[in-house]
Amino acid sequence: MKESKIDTLAFVKDLLAKKLRNSLSLKLIVAIGTLILVASGIFWFVIIVRGEKQILNSSIIHASEYNSIIENSVKTNMSMGQVEIIQKMLEEIGTTGAFKEVRIYSHPEGIIKFSSDKAVISEKLDIKSPSCAVCHKDTEMKNVSWSIIKRKEGRILRLSKTLLYEPTCSVNCHYHTPSKKIIGILETDYSIVNLDKTLREQKLATITFGIILTVVSSIVLCIILWKIIIKPLMLLAEGMERVSKGDLDHKVEINTRDEMGMLAKTFNSMTTELKTARQRLENWAKELEEEVAKKTEEIRKGQEQMIHTEKLASLGRMAAGVAHELNSPLTGIVTFAHLMLKRIPPEDKLNREDLEVIIEQAERCSKIIKGLLGFSRALPTQKAKVNINATISHVLDMIKNQAKFHNIKLITDLAPDLPEIDGDASQLEQVYMNLLINAADAMNDRGQIKIATRRVQEDGKEFIEIEFTDTGPGIPEEHLNKIFEPFFTTKPVGKGTGLGLSVSHGIIRKHGGYMTVKSKVGEGTSFFIRLPIPEKEKKEQKD
Ligand code: ADP
């Protein structure tokens, strides 16, 4: 929230910096400001001009009314032949503040006959004067005209009015004949200094008011623009910039219900979706990485296994060849030794004993050869339905009576209802026997062996797992990857052949399974056999 707050100072700095020309906010402010200025300028100009015109018009009306009064008095005095009174009256009028000068010209001579200023009497009027325009400017004759004259002491409103001939005029007047239409022009100068002063004050007040109103409305408009458009736009722009830099947790905080609020809401939901998609992509990449690592490890193991199998296969072929070649001569040795034993009298104990040693050693050789043939898979397998638990029980029954297992506690944990598998029971029993003898050897014929069976799943396939765990000394780590190799043994010469585990592994692989070992020095050893459950068995079990 703190971060998203727009700093006004930063905004102003931003405006003054290089973004100034391209700033939308500035364009808006300039456009609206200009509009306000022009509109308010025109408005106040019209107000001032109209006001001035109205005041001037009412002044002209007032002055015209005064003029009519003067005209009437002049006409009355003229008809009565009291010419001196006219001059006196004009002098009197000239002394009042409102009138600057009052004159009466003769027509058409244009000579001043009467004036509030005695000094100008008999002066001639210029034909270009505004007063002459009353009669001469247009073809159409006018009775009244007005003009503004600028003097040093201030402006003057001059009203000019024609004095028309009336029937009463000819009665006492010896100046005019009845044929004359216009007998003179009444020219009245009014000082409008005070009026101008009032106008100036009014203009100043109007302009001041206009400026204040324009400034205030501009400020208010700017604030409204800032709050409603510019600030939300900047928040959105900031949000877009942050999102484009990868900050998908950023949220635009505009909580209004207008278009800007809707835009912010849409933007926020867009970033949320973007974040979810990115997370999904990351997870997918991670899963893919893990899968690749797993597959690579599987391939590596597979390759290792292949090399190992290849090695074993070539060794097997060699062993099979040797075993095959040795088998016949050994059979001959044993047969002939037995024949010789029969021929030697019982009292020749020394020779008999030697022959018995020959027979015993030859039989041992035979046993090794059988082992080698088993390893090389030279021995045929007879596959049938095998109940794993039954084969285990059978082996345990056999070893129970052997002295080797008298001091060993045998614990079984056999899972009931295990499906049958296709295999060679006697070969599998040979494997168990081998593992049990190895365990007993390792524990010096005393300790504990646990035999367990269970059903397990691996990569979607089902297996029967058989576990043999002893409490022996364990296998050192450096030996762990060698024990399945043929002829690897740690037993003393004459006791171990190093073929037991490799033959066992060969048998299990022939059944489609595999063997693994887990061991820690001082804690014992566990061998695991996994044999696949045939599809048919799985279905039957389910049914
Ligand atoms: P052998 O029994 O003739 O030595 P094996 O292939 O059966 O041949 O065994 C190879 C070696 O594995 C053994 O010599 C022994 O060192 C080791 N071994 C096998 N089983 C065990 C066990 N349960 N505990 C400790 N070591 C074992």
Side-chain angles (χ1 to χ4, degrees), residues 388 391-393 395-396 399 405 410-414 428-440 443 448-454 465-472 475 501 504 508 515-519 524-531:
I388 295 295
T391 53
I392 289 171
S393 302
V395 170
L396 292 180
I399 61 164
F405 290 91
L410 295 164
I411 302 167
T412 51
D413 179 13
L414 308 179
L428 289 173
E429 283 174 11
Q430 189 190 326
V431 173
Y432 312 150
M433 189 72 90
N434 189 44
L435 292 174
L436 288 164
I437 291 170
N438 272 352
M443 296 191 297
Q448 182 184 293
I449 303 174
K450 178 189 161 193
I451 305 114
T453 56
R454 61 186 75 94
E465 187 177 76
I466 312 160
E467 178 191 342
F468 293 86
T469 298
D470 62 54
T471 53
I475 305 169
L501 284 177
S504 301
I508 298 301
M515 274 177 82
T516 51
V517 62
K518 268 188 201 163
S519 184
T525 305
S526 294
F527 280 93
F528 298 92
I529 299 168
R530 281 193 176 182
L531 294 164

Side-chain angles (χ1 to χ4, degrees), residues 434-435 437-443 468 470 472-476 479 482-491 495-504 519 524-527:
N434 189 44
L435 292 174
I437 291 170
N438 272 352
D441 283 346
M443 296 191 297
F468 293 86
D470 62 54
I475 305 169
H479 289 170
K482 291 183 193 156
I483 55 170
F484 289 103
E485 285 177 13
F487 308 114
F488 176 82
T489 180
T490 55
K491 290 175 189 170
K495 209 178 174 204
T497 58
L499 285 170
L501 284 177
S502 59
V503 169
S504 301
S519 184
T525 305
S526 294
F527 280 93

